[in-house]
Amino acid sequence: MLCALLTMPSGTQAADTNLNPSWTSITVSVSDLDQALALWSGIFGFEIRAQKEGPDEGLASGWSISAGEIHRQALLATPGASSGMIHFVEFDQPGPPVREGAQVFDLVPKNLDIYVRDIGERVNELKAAGWRFNTEKFSDVTAPDGTRFREIHMPGHDGINIVLLELLDQEMTFTKQGYAGVGPLITIVEDAASERDFASRVLGLSLLHDNVLSGPEIEKMIGLPPGSALDVSIWGLASNPLGELEVIDYRGVEGNDLYPRTVPKFTGVLHLTYEVARLDEFTSLLDSAGITWTEIGQRSTLTASGSFIRVLSPGGLRIEVVQKQLPG
């Protein structure tokens, strides 16, 4: 988020696709659900919207695994929010982290941004609970457009990097403990242009922030070799800070493609779920754009009941799209 806020967008307009531009939920596989809930519910204060133990035929059908391989699940959200929810899944035999051994610039879903109120207090309470941070102190930044924010990175469970982000001039609904999210999911890609076209023309997301950053200070901050640069953009809905997509292309370096790991039973970020009003219209758009998609079919999961498909972004990010089934 530090990089993405430094320049405002040039006015890129989103396509009209009938897809909700804020993703509904992010599915994260965990090795220990109790540990994840202790952080996200116990410390962050996210609501537990639903929980399930035991086999899940609906979820398993979308992954081509047996229902018995799913052990436990939980769906969490900021109070009152219908986007930016986090869906934890614990498998019977969890695998290694998606980001195990990853370099800064490897191609993979990388960070989850969590908004906070009073970042100093949040950092102190997390340190007291045994969590550690990549730096001793948070960054304090005023962007050229006047945006003021603070952030700090915290290695989380299962190889997830959690970014605490305080937007100093923006009102937001927080948990009682002072947290809100998930904001942007940060994804690292090889070709920013293709990913931007997909986000705008296919998903219909609005470009919220856009920049290319380079220079010695950036290289030192991120941990990049000399001559590198970052192409950074944030996509979503301007009126909703939750459920955004942040795309980063590191220039001058070549990362390993870890997106093939974002499947069961690896732990970490597996996929995003977006809702759409008319799935037939959306699949027609995919067909006309020459984009391959996979029909999952009708199913009921902890996140939604309805008709699902799966599509990959050009960079490899797995996305499920659902037309929810109406009650009754």
Side-chain angles (χ1 to χ4, degrees), residues 211-222:
N211 201 10
V212 174
L213 300 178
S214 62
E217 291 186 10
I218 296 300
E219 294 162 3
K220 181 179 179 180
M221 179 181 68
I222 304 297

Side-chain angles (χ1 to χ4, degrees), residues 50-100:
Q51 286 185 279
K52 184 172 184 177
E53 294 201 13
D56 188 323
E57 293 284 353
L59 189 60
S61 66
W63 281 333
S64 299
I65 62 175
S66 68
E69 292 177 88
I70 298 171
H71 182 45
R72 296 189 295 168
Q73 303 175 65
L75 180 65
L76 284 76
T78 302
S82 58
S83 58
M85 295 187 288
I86 187 163
H87 174 212
F88 289 122
V89 181
E90 180 186 322
F91 296 107
D92 60 339
Q93 296 180 346
V98 170
R99 294 188 64 244
E100 184 175 64

Side-chain angles (χ1 to χ4, degrees), residues 20-309:
N20 185 333
S22 301
W23 49 262
T24 306
S25 62
I26 184 169
T27 296
V28 177
S29 168
V30 297
S31 56
D32 184 342
L33 182 60
D34 291 333
Q35 180 193 42
L37 293 180
L39 175 63
W40 292 83
S41 178
I43 296 179
F44 292 169
F46 282 35
E47 291 180 342
I48 300 178
R49 294 280 176 88
Q51 286 185 279
K52 184 172 184 177
E53 294 201 13
D56 188 323
E57 293 284 353
L59 189 60
S61 66
W63 281 333
S64 299
I65 62 175
S66 68
E69 292 177 88
I70 298 171
H71 182 45
R72 296 189 295 168
Q73 303 175 65
L75 180 65
L76 284 76
T78 302
S82 58
S83 58
M85 295 187 288
I86 187 163
H87 174 212
F88 289 122
V89 181
E90 180 186 322
F91 296 107
D92 60 339
Q93 296 180 346
V98 170
R99 294 188 64 244
E100 184 175 64
Q103 302 178 87
V104 169
F105 44 81
D106 280 343
L107 313 178
V108 68
K110 185 179 180 183
N111 301 342
L112 297 180
D113 279 11
I114 305 299
Y115 302 112
V116 298
R117 180 180 59 233
D118 195 337
I119 194 169
E121 288 191 10
R122 304 290 79 78
V123 168
N124 288 338
E125 68 192 13
L126 283 162
K127 285 182 177 179
W131 293 94
R132 295 294 174 260
F133 295 85
N134 291 345
T135 56
E136 284 299 315
K137 183 171 172 44
F138 56 81
S139 301
D140 196 333
V141 179
T142 299
D145 68 347
T147 303
R148 300 167 57 231
F149 63 95
R150 297 166 177 164
E151 75 167 37
I152 192 168
H153 291 234
M154 183 183 87
H157 53 84
D158 301 294
I160 299 168
N161 191 51
I162 298 171
V163 179
L164 303 186
L165 177 66
E166 182 177 14
L167 302 179
L168 299 177
D169 301 318
Q170 183 171 333
E171 294 296 323
M172 195 176 303
T173 299
F174 294 99
T175 66
K176 292 180 180 179
Q177 290 86 338
Y179 297 84
V182 176
L185 164 67
I186 298 177
T187 61
I188 312 303
V189 301
E190 187 175 31
D191 182 358
S194 296
E195 209 74 8
R196 287 165 174 266
D197 182 67
F198 179 83
S200 177
R201 184 169 59 92
V202 178
L203 297 182
L205 309 184
S206 295
L207 178 58
L208 306 178
H209 299 280
D210 188 21
N211 201 10
V212 174
L213 300 178
S214 62
E217 291 186 10
I218 296 300
E219 294 162 3
K220 181 179 179 180
M221 179 181 68
I222 304 297
L224 296 172
S228 304
L230 293 81
D231 182 318
V232 189
S233 58
I234 294 183
W235 301 82
L237 182 65
S239 60
N240 182 17
L242 304 184
E244 295 176 339
L245 181 62
E246 182 169 340
V247 176
I248 296 180
D249 179 357
Y250 289 108
R251 300 180 179 180
V253 291
E254 292 187 10
N256 297 314
D257 184 4
L258 304 185
Y259 281 100
R261 294 184 182 178
T262 57
V263 295
K265 300 178 181 177
F266 283 94
T267 54
V269 174
L270 300 186
H271 69 256
L272 296 178
T273 299
Y274 285 92
E275 292 182 5
V276 70
R278 289 288 302 272
L279 191 58
D280 57 347
E281 293 181 1
F282 186 73
T283 54
S284 293
L285 184 153
L286 294 176
D287 291 337
S288 64
I291 296 173
T292 302
W293 53 277
T294 302
E295 183 174 8
I296 299 174
Q298 197 77 18
R299 65 174 179 164
S300 180
T301 72
L302 211 62
T303 60
S305 295
S307 184
F308 287 77
I309 67 162

